[in-house]
Amino acid sequence: MSASNHAAAFALPAVDADGRKNLVGLSRDELEAEMLSAGLEKFRARQLWHWIYHRGATDFAVMTTLAKPVREKLAETYAVARPTVVRDLKSVDGTRKWLLRMPDGQEVESVHIPEEDRGTLCVSSQVGCTLTCRFCHTGTQRLVRNLDASEIVAQVMLARDALGEWPAPPDGRMISNIVMMGMGEPLFNYENVAKALKIVMDGDGISISKRRITLSTSGVVPAMKRCGEELNVNLAVSLHAVTDELRDLIMPINRKYPLKELMDACRTYPGLNNARRITFEYVMLKGVNDSPADARALVKLLEGIPSKINLIPFNPWPGAPYERSTDRAIQVFGDIVNNAGYASPVRTTRGEDIMAACGQLKSASVRLSAADRAAIEKVLAEKDAALAG
């Protein structure tokens, strides 16, 4: 299924909050058009943009630069909606995970990871996932639908609500970076992701620089160039294997876009240079992809691509078919890659106690039954067949 057909097939149903239209997620032009259709002046859109995205307001009554009759009229027709927080979990390491329910009852997760010099919010783009990466628990779930731009932006806005970050301070933001690394494949929902990120990057609102936004893809080759040209955000590529044979097995999307095509798309990614490198994500699977020979093959595969490699210790989940590589194997692997001139930091596992670590989103900390395993295998087989079609 092509990316465009995929977007149409898994679009959000038309659901409004209490019959009112949600203004979150509308572009500037769309917001202006809404004001004109409501019989209001075009400049009201600029005022609303400031209140919604700079001040974080959810109630028209507090938007005091608008006359009271205008506020009342807006409240009758429109909403500034947030998802419902179903669960708010905090890890011992400070990581925070929210389970969010959308207006139609579907649920996704987003994660805030605080660090000394930054705070990163991991944002989801789909309910479930199209893909069947064998090491990722989200990949064992059916794709229900794409998130629309309002639902993607709202994850950022809700996190800022929870962290008390309206308006954003000029320095020391608790949410300074965005990574599109949550549930779903962002490039299979490109239109909505792009629309949302343009709102996030807008200097008069949330104002997070494109230099601080990273989009992660499993390798949807046809959309990668467009992403670079239109958004110019940082690119991360989930690689995880250095041969087509292994990548076909653990990341079946490789059968559609094999390594040569993927590496060519990386080499020609717009804006790529030594200052703006591609990040390759490489999950360390014990006895599968973590040998010194694999490390040397990785170095050869990345030749000529300005890049760094994030080595990710595998984060287990109930029923996972793999184990985490040993610390020694990860160190040897990293040393080989680093000595070849590629930065290869080992990602610190965060939020593991609340199932918020990489690859764990939408997991339940329970042991799987035989019936559960059979159901997962059925889902994987169906998704593999759809991807190949």
Side-chain angles (χ1 to χ4, degrees):
M1 184 181 291
S2 69
S4 59
N5 289 340
H6 182 282
F10 294 99
L12 170 71
V15 178
D16 292 333
D18 300 323
R20 297 175 297 164
K21 186 167 186 177
N22 188 11
L23 295 182
V24 174
L26 298 184
S27 68
R28 283 182 178 271
D29 289 344
E30 289 170 337
L31 197 52
E32 289 179 354
E34 283 296 332
M35 294 304 98
L36 294 174
S37 69
L40 296 172
E41 302 90 339
K42 188 176 178 180
F43 73 86
R44 299 296 182 191
R46 185 169 64 253
Q47 293 176 310
L48 283 169
W49 191 274
H50 173 82
W51 281 104
I52 294 171
Y53 296 118
H54 181 73
R55 303 294 294 272
T58 57
D59 185 349
F60 293 107
V62 305
M63 301 181 184
T64 51
T65 56
L66 285 77
K68 187 175 180 181
V70 173
R71 285 180 268 155
E72 291 174 347
K73 184 171 185 176
L74 288 169
E76 290 173 2
T77 309
Y78 300 106
V80 182
R82 298 282 198 271
T84 301
V85 178
V86 177
R87 200 157 52 238
D88 181 350
L89 299 176
K90 296 180 182 178
S91 169
V92 294
D93 64 23
T95 299
R96 193 165 175 180
K97 181 173 77 167
W98 295 278
L99 175 64
L100 307 177
R101 181 171 295 147
M102 301 306 172
D104 64 346
Q106 298 299 334
E107 297 176 349
V108 298
E109 291 180 335
S110 50
V111 177
H112 179 249
I113 307 164
E115 300 177 72
E116 284 189 12
D117 60 341
R118 70 181 67 188
T120 301
L121 185 69
C122 182
V123 175
S124 294
S125 58
Q126 295 179 313
V127 181
C129 187
T130 319
L131 304 174
T132 54
C133 302
R134 297 302 196 251
F135 50 82
C136 177
H137 188 256
T138 312
T140 67
Q141 301 156 36
R142 295 184 189 277
L143 175 68
V144 179
R145 65 170 175 82
N146 289 325
L147 296 179
D148 77 353
S150 72
E151 295 169 316
I152 296 169
V153 173
Q155 292 175 65
V156 181
M157 300 174 79
L158 188 141
R160 291 183 69 171
D161 291 346
L163 297 170
E165 206 163 37
W166 295 108
D171 299 303
R173 289 189 183 192
M174 286 188 283
I175 301 176
S176 60
N177 293 61
I178 301 289
V179 291
M180 295 300 307
M181 295 183 184
M183 297 168 62
E185 165 54 64
L187 293 187
F188 273 139
N189 188 20
Y190 178 77
E191 298 293 344
N192 285 314
V193 168
K195 186 178 180 183
L197 290 182
K198 287 174 183 177
I199 293 172
V200 169
M201 291 186 285
D202 190 287
D204 294 328
I206 296 174
S207 189
I208 295 178
S209 166
K210 64 186 178 184
R211 303 288 182 183
R212 292 184 171 271
I213 297 175
T214 300
L215 183 147
S216 178
T217 179
S218 58
V220 184
V221 168
M224 288 170 61
K225 182 179 180 182
R226 184 182 177 194
C227 174
E229 289 175 342
E230 296 182 2
L231 299 177
N232 198 22
V233 295
N234 300 313
L235 184 71
V237 175
S238 294
L239 188 60
H240 311 306
V242 294
T243 67
D244 281 322
E245 181 181 19
L246 178 57
R247 202 163 187 268
D248 283 353
L249 178 64
I250 66 174
M251 296 186 70
I253 192 173
N254 193 73
R255 301 168 195 167
K256 197 174 190 73
Y257 307 116
L259 279 172
K260 184 180 185 309
E261 292 182 29
L262 178 57
M263 292 299 106
D264 287 346
C266 290
R267 286 186 174 87
T268 57
Y269 186 70
L272 181 65
N273 55 52
N274 287 327
R276 291 203 76 192
R277 299 169 292 173
I278 290 178
T279 297
F280 288 93
E281 296 162 323
Y282 197 95
V283 66
M284 302 296 295
L285 305 173
K286 184 177 181 180
V288 176
N289 64 353
D290 63 349
S291 70
D294 288 316
R296 289 188 288 271
L298 176 61
V299 169
K300 186 174 182 180
L301 187 67
L302 300 183
E303 187 176 358
I305 304 176
S307 54
K308 75 170 185 177
I309 297 87
N310 270 345
L311 301 180
I312 307 170
F314 173 65
N315 297 307
W317 39 269
Y322 301 111
E323 296 179 39
R324 178 181 295 180
S325 298
T326 65
D327 290 345
R328 176 61 180 163
I330 295 173
Q331 180 184 344
V332 170
F333 191 103
D335 286 347
I336 292 171
V337 176
N338 192 62
N339 290 338
Y342 296 96
S344 53
V346 178
R347 182 181 294 175
T348 302
T349 298
R350 301 289 300 272
E352 196 170 15
D353 57 317
I354 58 171
M355 300 298 279
C358 180
Q360 291 183 320
L361 292 195
K362 210 65 171 73
S363 296
S365 53
V366 295
R367 188 176 297 277
L368 293 187
S369 67
D372 291 332
R373 270 194 189 70
I376 287 174
E377 289 303 319
K378 182 180 179 183
V379 170
L380 295 177
E382 290 173 353
K383 289 167 70 176
D384 283 350
L387 190 63

